[in-house]
Amino acid sequence: MGRFNHQPALTAVTEGWQPNIELLKQTVVKKGITLYPDAAEQLTAVPNSTFDIVTNSHGAMPVKRIAEVLKPGGRFVTQQVGATNNYALSRFFDEHYEPAYPDNQLLTVMAQMQAAGFEILRAEQAYAALSFTDVGAIVYYATVIPWEFPHFDVARMLPKLHQLQSLLAINGRVTTFEDRFMIIARKLARRD
């Protein structure tokens, strides 16, 4: 809230994960910000034509619903984790790995936004290198983002982890790529 310099009474937040909902009740709600608990991440409790701006960082994107909750001319700003995030490392551990959100790609999302009545003002994509110099760091990483490393189990992955250790000894690092994209869009006024 402080970073946006926006009046709390004119600010709202949605959240789907119950521990975060409880945290928000104890923090931002006490400052006057409206909280819309949203376990389904579909913005169903948010009234139509409510907001001048909607921001989204790594969250689900019900594009049509976002268009409905924005006022005409309202802005949507999002930064997303793309479908191919850490793809090579995920496939290294599981040769049958498929991304959890395969359609979360810049081109696909831009097309969805245009179809929902948005004008794309800016769209960019980046693939940032993420290097690991320790197998333990890779193990930790794989356990905290299970949607990219489903069914990761250290005991079962021991042969792969030994192989990574030998690659680290040769290269000094194992590199994967983070897939990120951002979009800034404006909701067009309705044409009747």
Side-chain angles (χ1 to χ4, degrees), residues 130-157:
L130 176 63
S131 295
F132 295 94
T133 58
D134 178 86
V135 169
I138 295 170
V139 169
Y140 173 77
Y141 190 69
T143 59
V144 297
I145 51 174
W147 52 91
E148 287 182 15
F149 301 93
H151 317 296
F152 183 86
D153 176 75
V154 173
R156 196 168 49 83
M157 295 297 168

Side-chain angles (χ1 to χ4, degrees), residues 6-12 32-34 51:
H6 201 262
Q7 295 177 29
L10 298 175
T11 304
I33 293 174
T34 302
F51 301 117

Side-chain angles (χ1 to χ4, degrees), residues 43-58:
L43 306 177
T44 54
V46 180
N48 287 353
S49 300
T50 301
F51 301 117
D52 293 308
I53 187 168
V54 171
T55 63
N56 176 316
S57 180
H58 298 200

Side-chain angles (χ1 to χ4, degrees), residues 25-44:
K25 286 178 182 177
Q26 298 305 313
T27 55
V28 300
V29 170
K30 287 184 176 182
K31 295 177 182 178
I33 293 174
T34 302
L35 168 64
Y36 294 103
D38 190 18
E41 297 184 335
Q42 296 300 308
L43 306 177
T44 54

Side-chain angles (χ1 to χ4, degrees), residues 56-75:
N56 176 316
S57 180
H58 298 200
M61 275 195 309
V63 172
K64 287 181 183 178
R65 186 68 189 125
I66 291 167
E68 291 170 353
V69 303
L70 275 170
K71 294 176 183 175
R75 305 286 171 116

